[in-house]
C-alpha cells in the first residue's frame, strides 16, 4: 500500500462497497459514503467479495472448507486426561514426537491422512508470527470434492492431529474460512471488471492463494494496460 501511494495511487480506507454496475462506457461503484465512476474496476476483495456477487451473480462457485487455529510455538501440551488410549499411544510413539523441539520451529507439515475419511484435503502445521512473536498455525482444508457424500466434520481430525503433537484444540480459538477455488472454465471477468486473487479463485489442491494472487495482479495489470 505504501508503494502504491508513492506512485500516486489514492487509497480510501473505511469505505464499504455496496454495489458495482458495469456500463457501456464506465463502471459505477456505489459505497456507503459516495458513488465513484471508473473506467475499470478490479475486484481484489477475497472469496466473499462483493464484486463477484454483483457482476456474476449466477456464475458457478466452488467453495472449500477450512479451519485454522494459532498456538504458541511451545508449551501448550495437551492434557492426557482428555486423550483417548489411541491418542495417548500415538502421542508417545517415537515417530510422532511433540513439535516443541526448537530444531523443528522452522518446519512446515502437510498431512493428507484425512483423505480416506472423506476429507479431500489435508491438515497443516507451519511456523508463523503474531505481533513479532513466533507462533504456529494449524488447520485443516477440505476441497469438498467429495461433497456428494456426507461431509465429515473437520474439528475431530484437526484435534487428533494436534493432540498427537501435544497441543489441545479445546484450548484454542478456531476460525473458519470459506475458500473459493479456481476453475479454468468459470468466468473471472466481464467488460470493464476483472477479478483477481481469491476473488478469482485459489489453488484447488492446496487452497493456497498468496503466490497465485501475485500472479493474478501481474496478469490484470497487463490486461488493463492493453485495454
Amino acid at each position: 500500500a505504501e508503494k502504491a501511494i508513492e506512485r500516486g495511487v489514492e487509497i480510501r480506507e473505511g469505505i464499504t462497497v455496496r454495489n458495482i454496475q458495469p456500463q457501456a462506457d464506465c463502471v459505477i461503484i456505489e459505497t456507503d459514503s459516495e458513488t465513484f465512476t471508473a473506467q475499470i474496476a478490479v475486484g481484489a476483495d477475497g472469496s466473499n467479495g462483493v464484486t463477484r456477487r454483483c457482476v456474476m451473480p449466477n456464475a458457478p462457485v466452488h467453495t472449500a472448507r477450512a479451519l485454522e487455529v494459532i498456538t504458541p510455538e511451545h508449551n501448550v501440551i495437551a492434557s492426557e486426561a482428555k486423550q483417548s488410549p489411541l491418542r495417548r499411544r500415538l502421542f508417545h510413539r517415537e515417530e510422532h514426537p511433540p513439535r516443541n523441539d526448537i530444531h523443528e520451529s522452522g518446519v512446515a507439515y502437510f498431512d493428507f491422512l484425512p483423505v480416506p475419511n472423506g476429507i479431500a484435503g489435508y491438515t497443516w502445521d507451519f511456523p508463523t508470527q503474531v505481533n513479532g512473536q513466533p507462533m504456529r498455525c494449524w488447520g485443516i482444508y477440505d476441497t469438498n470434492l467429495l461433497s456428494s457424500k456426507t461431509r465429515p466434520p473437520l474439528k475431530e481430525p484437526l484435534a487428533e492431529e494436534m493432540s498427537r503433537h501435544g497441543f489441545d484444540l479445546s484450548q484454542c480459538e478456531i476460525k473458519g474460512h470459506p475458500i473459493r477455488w479456481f476453475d479454468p472454465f468459470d468466468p473471472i471477468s466481464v467488460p470493464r471488471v476483472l477479478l483477481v486473487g481469491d476473488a478469482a479463485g485459489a489453488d484447488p489442491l492446496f487452497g493456497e492463494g498468496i503466490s497465485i494472487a501475485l500472479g493474478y495482479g501481474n496478469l490484470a495489470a497487463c490486461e488493463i494496460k492493453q485495454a
Side-chain angles (χ1 to χ4, degrees), residues 34-220:
E34 58 186 299
T35 298
F36 299 93
T37 301
Q39 289 184 298
I40 296 172
V42 179
D45 46 355
S47 289
N48 285 326
V50 67
T51 309
R52 175 186 284 275
R53 295 198 301 270
C54 288
V55 302
M56 305 173 195
N58 300 317
V61 176
H62 310 283
T63 307
R65 301 181 293 163
L67 297 180
E68 180 183 67
V69 299
I70 302 294
T71 70
E73 180 74 33
H74 308 286
N75 301 326
V76 184
I77 302 301
S79 168
E80 288 199 21
K82 296 182 180 180
Q83 295 181 23
S84 65
L86 173 59
R87 288 184 180 181
R88 287 199 292 272
R89 289 199 299 273
L90 289 171
F91 179 69
H92 289 296
R93 283 168 59 184
E94 288 298 319
E95 60 266 38
H96 294 295
R99 289 181 188 157
N100 293 355
D101 192 321
I102 190 65
H103 300 296
E104 291 198 332
S105 61
V107 178
Y109 297 83
F110 295 86
D111 194 331
F112 288 83
L113 283 177
V115 171
N117 296 323
I119 296 174
Y122 59 91
T123 61
W124 75 77
D125 165 24
F126 57 78
T128 186
Q129 287 189 4
V130 178
N131 298 324
Q133 298 299 313
M135 307 287 279
R136 292 201 77 84
C137 178
W138 302 77
I140 185 167
Y141 170 73
D142 181 13
T143 63
N144 281 331
L145 286 174
L146 304 177
S147 59
S148 58
K149 303 178 182 179
T150 301
R151 295 196 297 179
L154 298 183
K155 284 180 64 176
E156 183 175 335
L158 177 58
E160 188 82 24
E161 176 65 12
M162 293 179 67
S163 177
R164 289 199 310 168
H165 302 287
F167 291 82
D168 188 349
L169 179 61
S170 67
Q171 300 177 13
C172 305
E173 178 185 3
I174 304 175
K175 296 183 178 180
H177 303 284
I179 298 175
R180 315 293 189 211
W181 48 265
F182 176 76
D183 186 320
F185 298 102
D186 291 347
I188 58 173
S189 67
V190 299
R192 296 190 176 272
V193 180
L194 306 175
L195 300 180
V196 299
D198 284 2
D203 167 41
L205 180 59
F206 286 99
E208 197 276 323
I210 296 177
S211 61
I212 298 171
L214 298 175
Y216 279 128
N218 189 42
L219 289 170

Side-chain angles (χ1 to χ4, degrees), residues 18-50:
R18 301 297 189 191
N19 192 23
I20 298 173
Q21 302 178 45
Q23 306 292 318
D25 56 351
C26 68
V27 183
I28 298 174
I29 303 160
E30 300 174 1
T31 77
D32 58 355
S33 62
E34 58 186 299
T35 298
F36 299 93
T37 301
Q39 289 184 298
I40 296 172
V42 179
D45 46 355
S47 289
N48 285 326
V50 67

